[in-house]
Amino acid sequence: MASRVLVVEDNELNLKLFCDLLRAHGFAPEPVRDGRDAVARARDIAPALIITDIQLPHVTGLELIQRFRADTRLKSVPIMAVTAYAGHDDEARIRAAGANAYVSKPISVLRFIEEVRALLPADG
């Protein structure tokens, strides 16, 4: 069974790209367009990995990461943050919030998949 990956991204093109890449590499992506729905959706599907954009409307990716880490059922799920805003201190702030990996946009397809594989168990 393919590992489920929750993908939180409000940009349709990025969401499609991430999901297509994951699917092509044997993962089962679960798209979420609105960050307000992300924690409930994650509880429903019990993902092996969470990928979240940082710049989201309504709730920031940093807030989402903190909510995932505060949830007893989700706190150990690895999180990969993806953002177009790659300032000098951004990676440190994102990792301090609880992200296990950080990829800047525009993404490198190879780096994206390498990070996903590094965060998921070998059978994923």
Side-chain angles (χ1 to χ4, degrees):
M1 187 166 120
S3 295
R4 286 186 167 171
V5 179
L6 185 78
V7 181
V8 185
E9 171 63 72
D10 63 307
N11 178 289
E12 286 294 326
L13 289 176
N14 287 336
L15 185 65
K16 180 176 178 357
L17 172 63
F18 299 163
C19 289
D20 287 350
L21 281 170
L22 290 164
R23 212 172 283 110
H25 287 86
F27 301 102
E30 296 283 342
V32 173
R33 288 165 184 80
D34 189 328
R36 295 173 292 188
D37 302 328
V39 173
R41 186 74 181 121
R43 284 187 191 132
D44 288 345
I45 68 163
L49 172 66
I50 297 167
I51 297 173
T52 184
D53 186 15
I54 294 300
Q55 300 298 322
L56 295 165
H58 313 298
V59 57
T60 71
L62 285 175
E63 291 169 324
L64 271 183
I65 292 168
Q66 291 166 344
R67 289 179 191 176
F68 291 132
R69 291 296 175 236
D71 188 286
T72 55
R73 291 177 12 209
L74 302 171
K75 66 183 177 184
S76 63
V77 177
I79 298 172
M80 182 168 88
V82 183
T83 185
Y85 298 95
H88 181 66
D89 297 329
D90 286 346
E91 183 170 2
R93 279 185 317 124
I94 290 166
R95 286 186 183 275
N100 303 89
Y102 171 91
V103 177
S104 60
K105 293 179 194 172
I107 66 158
S108 154
V109 171
L110 183 61
R111 171 126 193 269
F112 180 87
I113 291 301
E114 284 174 350
E115 290 290 344
V116 169
R117 289 190 190 279
L119 292 169
L120 284 175
D123 63 341

